Amino acid sequence: MPRFLRIFSLAFAFAAVCARADDPLREQTEQFFPLQLNGAISLENTDGSIHVFGWYEPRVRLAALRNAYTAPRLRQIRVETRAQPASLAIRTVIPAAHGFFADRSGTVDYTLNVPETAHLTLKLGNGEVTLQGLRGGSATIELRNGRVTASNCFARVAAHSRNGVMEVFYEWWENLPAAFDYTIEHGRIGALLPTGAQFRVNAATANGRIGNGFGFKNPPGGEAGQKLEAATTPNPPVSLRLRTGGGNISIDRWR
């Protein structure tokens, strides 16, 4: 084999080994907990994701995928639960790593099936929170950096984030009560609703623009921010309260 081909082959093999070494180790657990249909669920996570799906069953399915770069670090990551008939508390434990060469890796990705009328309190440091199919329940979300997405939720959702993106989507429309209170310090908020959606919007930016596809009058504002208060119909069942510090807000529609 020519010398340059040997060098190329060795370099390729070294890169492949490094790539495999960089792949995280993963371990998933699955648990089921009985819970009243209007029960309370709290979850605290440091880094990773929280994905919530509503169903009409008096129980919770909790799947936790732990990720780390070494087996000892993976074993250090724990998911602690405390279950009662009307409540379920979930806490992520990722011990601090000490030493210059210590392995500080570690994230947990949660997937929960919960009663659609449950009341959730979710806290996440960095990552993604998604809600889908909540009906009549509520969710309070605290996120430091990342994305919050709620789809097809007829519920009360309040979310606060420092940096990232917040979104609300509806693939279909039902005249059921819902309220969204989104506040982000730096980032974008977007809403995508069907043409026939009945809702009220109260939106404001400290430094950013507000756009809409529902024909609302162009919002007034100062040099930096804008405000918009409007409704598609009197006494609509859904309200959107949207606030950004630095960033834009869009309220779009699809047919």
Side-chain angles (χ1 to χ4, degrees):
M1 179 185 296
R3 182 172 180 272
F4 77 92
L5 286 179
R6 288 199 301 272
I7 294 173
F8 176 81
S9 298
L10 290 172
F12 180 82
F14 178 75
V17 170
C18 289
R20 287 195 298 270
D22 287 342
D23 290 340
L25 302 175
R26 295 184 172 92
E27 186 172 292
Q28 180 166 312
T29 58
E30 182 182 58
Q31 298 173 277
F32 290 85
F33 303 91
L35 185 72
Q36 296 176 4
L37 290 177
N38 63 345
I41 301 168
S42 65
L43 194 161
E44 297 182 16
N45 192 9
T46 306
D47 296 296
S49 62
I50 302 172
H51 303 289
V52 178
F53 299 88
W55 64 4
Y56 198 74
E57 292 191 26
R59 62 174 183 159
V60 174
R61 172 187 173 268
L62 171 65
L65 179 63
R66 296 178 294 118
N67 309 277
Y69 283 108
T70 63
R73 184 60 172 170
L74 189 66
R75 289 192 294 269
Q76 289 180 334
I77 302 171
R78 306 192 311 277
V79 175
E80 297 182 346
T81 60
R82 187 174 69 255
Q84 298 181 6
S87 66
L88 173 64
I90 306 158
R91 189 169 74 96
T92 309
V93 179
I94 302 179
H98 303 284
F100 186 79
F101 295 103
D103 181 2
R104 293 174 175 81
S105 67
T107 64
V108 180
D109 297 312
Y110 288 99
T111 301
L112 295 90
N113 295 86
V114 308
E116 60 186 13
T117 52
H119 302 282
L120 300 102
T121 302
L122 309 175
K123 296 182 180 181
L124 177 64
N126 305 288
E128 181 180 23
V129 177
T130 65
L131 307 174
Q132 183 171 326
L134 298 182
R135 298 170 69 90
S138 66
T140 300
I141 303 167
E142 286 289 337
L143 174 67
R144 188 164 59 243
N145 303 296
R147 180 183 295 267
V148 173
T149 303
S151 61
N152 303 322
C153 289
F154 293 92
R156 299 189 308 278
V157 180
H160 177 270
S161 177
R162 293 183 189 173
N163 305 286
V165 176
M166 291 186 175
E167 299 166 317
V168 53
F169 298 119
Y170 283 100
E171 296 176 295
W172 66 85
W173 189 256
E174 301 177 59
N175 288 326
L176 298 175
F180 291 86
D181 188 343
Y182 280 179
T183 301
I184 189 167
E185 297 177 22
H186 303 282
R188 177 181 64 84
I189 296 178
L192 180 62
L193 304 97
T195 298
Q198 299 184 14
F199 68 96
R200 179 183 306 279
V201 60
N202 182 329
T205 66
N207 188 352
R209 314 299 291 177
I210 300 175
N212 80 87
F214 283 87
F216 298 140
K217 184 179 179 181
N218 289 333
E223 296 181 357
Q226 290 187 322
K227 295 181 180 180
L228 172 64
E229 290 192 49
T232 60
T233 186
N235 302 315
V238 173
S239 66
L240 305 176
R241 183 183 183 276
L242 314 175
R243 297 287 187 272
T244 67
N248 298 329
I249 296 174
S250 62
I251 303 104
D252 298 311
R253 68 176 180 174
W254 63 270
R255 297 185 182 276

